[in-house]
Amino acid sequence: MNTRQLIKAVLLATSLLTATACPGNPDPDPDPGNPTGPGNPTGPGGETPLPTDRNDPNNATKDTDCDGLSDKTEFEVLYEGKQTHPGLADTDKDGLPDGLEVGVTEAVTGTNCTITPDASTAVNTSPVNADTDGDGLPDGVEDANHNGKVDDDETHPLLVDTDCDGLRDGPTSGDVKGEDQNGNGIREATETDPRRFDTDGDGISDGVELGVTQNLDAANCSGIFRPDVNPGSTTDPTNPDSDGDGVADGAEDNNQNGGKDPGELDPTDGTDASGPAGQVCTADNLRPVVFKSEEGADIKLALPPTFTEVTQIKSGDEVKGLIGYDSTTKVAFLAFRTTPPAGATDPLGDEEALQPAIASKGALRNRIAQTFKTWEGFEAVQANYDQAGTSTDLKRRTDQLVDALLPGSTGRLSSAAAGVTGDFRLQTLFVHRSNQSLVVLIAVAPLTGVTGGNRSTPAAFSVKDLSDGSALAQFGEPTAAQCELFTIPISKVDFIFVVDDSGSMGTSQQSLAATAQSAANALNASSLDWRMALVTTSYHLGAPGSSNVGRVRQFTRNVNKVKAWLTQNSKCSSATPGTCSGVPTTPEPATCPGTDDPSEGVNGGCWVGLAGSGNEGLLGAARKVVDDMTPGTEPGAAESGLKARKDAQLVVILLGDADDQTHNYSTTKANCGSGGTKDKAGSECESVENFKSFFGNRLETEEPTNKTKKQITVHGIVCPSGQVCGCTSGTCNLSNSTREFNPQPIGGVSQLRHAAVVNATGGVLGSILDTASIETSMEAIIVDAIGNAGYKTLKPPIGASIKVAAENVRDPAVCKTGNDIPRNTVNGFDFDGSARTLSFFGACRPATESTKVAVSYQYWVDQVKDPNGGTPCEDDPKYSPTEPDHCEGPTLGCNESGDQCVCKPDCGGTCGVGTTCNMATCSCDPILS
């Protein structure tokens, strides 16, 4: 891939030439017919020019020196105030013919000359200046193959600093440091490479390693050049490990700024790679990954080395993607690039449109989905399903998915069976790079191999790393190694459940209660300080629909109390005063305010009941309780059961089988009022956009309107789009009149208000259809909360490459591998690729908040800027492989669809005084008075 395409430099390769007719200008050759006459110069190399005659009337059809310029042109045209010599093919003796330098593509008509045509007329150099850009390298050295084009292995003759590292392409000159010290165009072992920002690949630019602080080309290198913050300390840009301690310079200086910041090793000190850092950060201790990539599909994958079977998926001769299998973990995957489905403009639309094709190979259940931005900034959704296929082999199911999604393609897994069968867990990733480019990745594993007691197996982490975005990049994205030292302070999370307390919710409430213990176990195993509170959909109603109006079941860490809120018929007991009935009493009983005390709602603050309003307002109740609980108690102050903690992350979890029907602030309207039915929202509900603004839209830069002014993640365990829920009798379908209010999709686009807010805040969107769905949803919500509270890495790690060590662990008798903490959510660490965070669990948690921890990983470097992959406008006749706009000359640019070179607005600003841009011809026409 072209170096210029890997950096953001705007290479305005405008001609430095001014072509004007010049009668009366000095003649450089007073007597061309007499080469030895007075005033007749010799060539720059001492050679004698061929004889020419400026008065020859046939000069327009003569090219004496066969450089591609007619003798007439050479006698009359000025370049930078100078003329080329009609008797010298290379006037400035830079190795390039004069015609090639000014963009000539055909020999002068009427001559028998054979010329080298200019392969890129947009890159014109000066025929009278051997070093057009003044970087110390002659133009002919920079254009090494003398074809007029900047090829991949060449420096740019119009840029003093081709790679934008702050070093000029040629030799050092005075205080300006250079790269090609002998000016021969060849990179010697002791030189840095002027074509590479980071010659030794250690993650630090050559300029930073050599102490450069000034940008040599602010116009073209803005946003790319990095100044050295400590120029007095330098490293070797030709050696990735300057101090020889086994840790790459860029991993030691982990923000690559040239200074030693807190939490960094010193790349000039060979003795500091000890303790946890030495255990995981040295080259010998890095966790290996392998890379598989395809240019046509614009896919690069980072995989564990155990993925030994990886095959191309092809449509004809075109590579569409990859399919692979790991016989060690029994995990398979398929990854491909395609055009987004018609009408889909975001990854949720992509996923919903392709879901039927996936389901055609086996029924899907327990869907959860979560939107996020990939490490490169692309919109993405991670959607997980359980898929039926009890007798189907794992490899054959993976093949079937390729059949469904890429019909007619070739390239499948080997015929040898995996030896394991379904049902299957599909963990999928949909990355909407643009409206022309969608990347789909599906990791496939036996359901029992990655769930339940196997949630911490290598297979479970493998499918997670494949589907969370950390394993995927564009073709050509480089990687580097990173080492970070940090400590883990205790993070705080306050969960607020908002639960539908209407008559259809009995089973769903009970199913949520069943997940409480596993949720608490996961939270307790982590480093989180958590609390939970609950309100119902009656909370915000002005007119009481039940005595849950205005009542909060207050923040608690007692899991039995949470169970009691959701356990049918649990009451504040008279037999055992102050405790809720019907739930376990160990490790502590569920306390309640009293049998006849309604301060925390019905049933003495135990079960929330089913007497609430049938016009459910989950979003309205959530907004009202957040208003009432915030801004919250100050850090260090006594906790309040009715107030959130200011230093805690606030998380809202919705549980309801009907969509939101909130009207204004403290009322609801059935089916959203006027014009509404159970399948279509009326016009009187509170705008979804107002709820997005309140909780915080992750796609917007505006500050949320809630009192905390921080984004609040809203998760939803709700009725899925396209389904109906809450039927109190019969089969629950569209013909069942007892179904709840759940607007149906229009044109394939979800109309659900809950889903819109959950997706906007980046929450988990789960299903309330059955107990298994609710359990799967809660598991994902807790994992997300733990992940978001973890240590955020400085760079985007490749999940499979992460290795962690701690100075001390919580229980070394159980966690015996503190120098290589295992990936495990019981006793170990986990990584969340979408949040880019590390979390620690159980005995392998750092011993204290001040315990030093080290992590090493490989990370992606975002250098490919074209979201559509390949090369835009490649089939257009005016395509240029060396220009950032992919089209020849300063006036043309590639259109938005990426298939045609078109005139830039105002001809790219190239028209001078007295001219105007003619957009029809893309030319600067004289303004006629």
Side-chain angles (χ1 to χ4, degrees):
M1 181 166 287
N2 191 285
T3 302
R4 269 63 59 191
Q5 293 174 352
L6 296 181
I7 58 179
K8 295 189 294 185
V10 181
L11 308 180
L12 292 179
T14 55
S15 173
L16 303 179
L17 316 179
T18 304
T20 57
C22 48
N25 278 317
D27 182 0
D29 184 0
D31 188 4
N34 180 11
T36 62
N40 203 52
T42 59
E47 73 277 15
T48 301
L50 296 172
T52 56
D53 181 0
R54 72 174 302 115
N55 298 314
D56 188 333
N58 298 315
N59 276 342
T61 57
K62 291 176 63 178
D63 182 4
T64 300
D65 53 13
C66 282
D67 62 359
L69 299 175
S70 71
D71 288 2
K72 177 179 173 63
T73 296
E74 300 211 57
F75 277 124
E76 295 182 356
V77 176
L78 289 179
Y79 306 92
E80 303 175 61
K82 300 177 182 179
Q83 291 173 298
T84 55
H85 198 296
L88 292 172
D90 179 10
T91 298
D92 58 9
K93 205 59 179 177
D94 60 2
L96 302 176
D98 296 340
L100 181 79
E101 296 210 64
V102 300
V104 171
T105 59
E106 296 180 354
V108 175
T109 303
T111 69
N112 293 322
C113 293
T114 299
I115 68 166
T116 299
D118 189 354
S120 178
T121 57
V123 183
N124 290 346
T125 49
S126 171
V128 296
N129 181 353
D131 181 9
T132 301
D133 57 10
D135 63 0
L137 297 179
D139 298 340
V141 170
E142 301 211 61
D143 182 7
N145 61 5
H146 296 182
N147 68 350
K149 184 176 74 171
V150 184
D151 295 295
D152 288 354
D153 57 351
E154 295 175 342
T155 53
H156 202 300
L158 299 181
L159 296 177
V160 68
D161 181 10
T162 297
D163 56 9
C164 292
D165 60 2
L167 304 170
R168 80 176 195 148
D169 294 344
T172 295
S173 176
D175 293 334
V176 179
K177 296 179 180 179
E179 306 208 55
D180 187 353
Q181 297 298 344
N182 59 11
N184 66 352
I186 300 172
R187 194 235 153 181
E188 318 290 348
T190 57
E191 295 175 334
T192 54
D193 191 334
R195 300 158 301 184
R196 295 188 62 187
F197 186 72
D198 175 15
T199 297
D200 56 12
D202 62 2
I204 308 178
S205 77
D206 295 340
V208 168
E209 295 215 60
L210 291 175
V212 173
T213 60
Q214 295 298 316
N215 189 349
L216 296 182
D217 189 352
N220 291 319
C221 295
S222 176
I224 305 169
F225 169 76
R226 301 174 190 169
D228 188 348
V229 301
N230 183 18
S233 175
T234 60
T235 47
D236 185 347
T238 66
N239 181 356
D241 182 12
S242 296
D243 59 11
D245 61 1
V247 184
D249 296 344
E252 300 201 64
D253 178 9
N254 57 41
N255 60 8
Q256 293 87 42
N257 69 352
K260 186 180 182 305
D261 300 299
E264 291 183 338
L265 301 177
D266 187 343
T268 66
D269 180 356
T271 66
D272 62 350
S274 58
Q279 292 158 357
V280 299
C281 294
T282 59
D284 291 342
N285 284 329
L286 296 178
R287 196 176 303 283
V289 293
V290 296
F291 297 95
K292 302 292 183 180
S293 59
E294 290 296 337
E295 183 171 16
D298 193 28
I299 287 173
K300 186 173 184 179
L301 292 175
L303 304 169
T306 46
F307 273 95
T308 55
E309 183 181 345
V310 179
T311 303
Q312 293 177 334
I313 303 171
K314 289 186 175 182
S315 179
D317 292 331
E318 181 184 2
V319 178
K320 304 292 289 185
L322 296 167
I323 183 171
Y325 173 64
D326 180 349
S327 60
T328 302
T329 59
K330 305 298 183 183
V331 170
F333 76 85
L334 60 122
F336 63 93
R337 187 180 68 145
T338 187
T339 303
T345 58
D346 59 38
L348 277 168
D350 299 329
E351 185 266 335
E352 289 178 359
L354 292 179
Q355 192 182 129
I358 298 171
S360 71
K361 300 304 177 183
L364 304 179
R365 63 185 187 275
N366 300 339
R367 172 188 180 267
I368 59 170
Q370 187 171 22
T371 59
F372 68 101
K373 279 193 174 183
T374 66
W375 64 268
E376 314 118 300
F378 295 127
E379 286 301 312
V381 64
Q382 186 179 21
N384 298 343
Y385 331 99
D386 296 340
Q387 186 175 45
T390 53
S391 61
T392 306
D393 184 79
L394 169 68
K395 291 171 71 174
R396 301 294 73 83
R397 173 49 51 87
T398 309
D399 288 343
Q400 291 169 2
L401 291 171
V402 181
D403 294 340
L405 293 164
L406 293 168
S409 64
T410 60
R412 300 294 185 267
L413 295 174
S414 64
S415 59
V420 291
T421 58
D423 292 351
F424 300 99
R425 168 61 59 87
L426 307 185
Q427 296 198 190
T428 70
L429 174 69
F430 296 80
V431 181
H432 195 94
R433 289 178 177 170
S434 75
N435 288 337
Q436 290 80 46
S437 183
L438 163 68
V439 175
V440 179
L441 192 156
I442 303 179
V444 188
L447 180 62
T448 57
V450 296
T451 57
N454 290 322
R455 285 180 295 181
S456 279
T457 61
F461 295 123
S462 182
V463 294
K464 181 178 182 180
D465 290 340
L466 280 166
S467 62
D468 65 9
S470 70
L472 175 67
Q474 290 186 261
F475 180 83
E477 301 276 24
T479 61
Q482 182 83 343
C483 177
E484 295 175 23
L485 302 176
F486 57 95
T487 57
I488 298 286
I490 294 176
S491 297
K492 300 177 181 179
V493 180
D494 283 343
F495 295 94
I496 303 175
F497 286 88
V498 183
V499 175
D500 182 353
D501 63 350
S502 65
S504 62
M505 284 292 294
T507 300
S508 298
Q509 291 177 6
Q510 194 68 41
S511 295
L512 183 62
T515 71
Q517 189 63 59
S518 61
N521 290 345
L523 291 167
N524 289 334
S526 74
S527 300
L528 287 185
D529 172 6
W530 61 273
R531 303 188 304 168
M532 292 179 180
L534 183 148
V535 299
T536 73
T537 45
S538 301
Y539 178 77
H540 63 307
L541 299 180
S546 77
S547 55
N548 285 326
V549 173
R551 305 301 187 187
V552 177
R553 282 157 174 83
Q554 298 182 21
F555 282 115
T556 183
R557 296 178 178 86
N558 182 345
V559 66
N560 288 330
K561 194 168 184 177
V562 177
K563 291 178 183 178
W565 299 337
L566 298 163
T567 297
Q568 199 159 1
N569 297 320
S570 177
K571 297 180 179 180
C572 200
S573 174
S574 56
T576 310
T579 62
C580 292
S581 63
V583 294
T585 57
T586 56
E588 57 181 319
T591 59
C592 49
T595 306
D596 300 318
D597 186 343
S599 62
E600 294 186 24
V602 297
N603 297 319
C606 298
W607 179 44
V608 297
L610 299 172
S613 170
N615 303 330
E616 297 89 336
L618 279 170
L619 294 175
R623 177 177 62 181
K624 177 69 163 59
V625 72
V626 168
D627 264 350
D628 292 345
M629 287 185 165
T630 60
T633 57
E634 298 291 337
E639 292 182 358
S640 165
L642 291 171
K643 294 293 181 181
R645 298 171 291 182
K646 279 188 176 181
D647 55 349
Q649 177 187 347
L650 196 56
V651 175
V652 172
I653 302 173
L654 309 177
L655 179 77
D657 58 6
D659 203 15
D660 178 73
Q661 297 161 81
T662 300
H663 171 72
N664 294 331
Y665 193 80
S666 59
T667 59
T668 59
K669 290 222 172 182
N671 304 332
C672 286
S674 178
T677 68
K678 290 186 177 182
D679 304 324
K680 179 183 176 183
S683 59
E684 298 182 74
C685 273
E686 182 77 4
S687 167
V688 168
E689 296 305 315
N690 290 343
F691 286 119
K692 290 180 182 178
S693 298
F694 178 83
F695 293 108
N697 189 337
R698 66 183 185 82
L699 300 180
E700 303 293 339
T701 57
E702 287 82 3
E703 190 176 75
T705 59
N706 65 71
K707 293 176 184 177
T708 71
K709 303 304 180 185
K710 301 175 183 177
Q711 182 171 314
I712 298 171
T713 302
V714 179
H715 302 288
I717 307 175
V718 295
C719 191
S721 177
Q723 300 277 347
V724 294
C725 299
C727 302
T728 55
S729 64
T731 302
C732 202
N733 54 32
L734 288 172
S735 61
N736 189 323
S737 62
T738 69
R739 69 187 185 278
E740 292 280 8
F741 168 69
N742 278 294
Q744 296 301 297
I746 298 177
V749 178
S750 172
Q751 304 300 305
L752 296 178
R753 294 160 54 79
H754 293 152
V757 174
V758 169
N759 292 330
T761 65
V764 171
L765 185 61
S767 167
I768 198 173
L769 288 178
D770 52 39
T771 298
S773 298
I774 293 172
E775 180 181 358
T776 301
S777 301
M778 268 305 296
E779 179 185 329
I781 290 167
I782 296 302
V783 168
D784 182 76
I786 292 171
N788 282 321
Y791 168 74
K792 191 172 184 67
T793 59
L794 299 177
K795 301 291 172 62
I798 294 168
S801 73
I802 295 174
K803 195 171 185 179
V804 182
E807 198 172 38
N808 297 293
V809 294
R810 189 69 59 93
D811 186 351
V814 175
C815 185
K816 300 181 184 298
T817 54
N819 61 343
D820 184 4
I821 293 177
R823 186 91 177 262
N824 190 293
T825 56
V826 177
N827 294 304
F829 82 92
D830 195 16
F831 170 67
D832 185 328
S834 59
R836 220 171 76 191
T837 55
L838 291 171
S839 303
F840 293 84
F841 300 88
C844 291
R845 285 178 286 174
T848 67
E849 291 185 47
S850 60
T851 297
K852 291 181 181 179
V853 183
V855 60
S856 67
Y857 55 86
Q858 290 192 62
Y859 65 92
W860 298 109
V861 180
D862 187 12
Q863 289 188 336
V864 178
K865 301 304 174 184
D866 177 10
N868 297 320
T871 306
C873 286
E874 189 168 20
D875 296 328
D876 191 281
K878 293 293 184 181
Y879 161 73
S880 171
T882 59
E883 300 308 309
D885 52 24
H886 306 287
C887 295
E888 290 184 348
T891 63
L892 296 178
C894 195
N895 63 2
E896 186 174 352
S897 61
D899 59 3
Q900 186 178 1
C901 291
V902 297
C903 191
K904 293 179 182 178
D906 193 29
C907 293
T910 61
C911 297
V913 177
T915 63
T916 185
C917 177
N918 182 338
M919 290 291 290
T921 60
C922 204
S923 61
C924 297
D925 296 347
I927 299 174
L928 302 178
S929 58

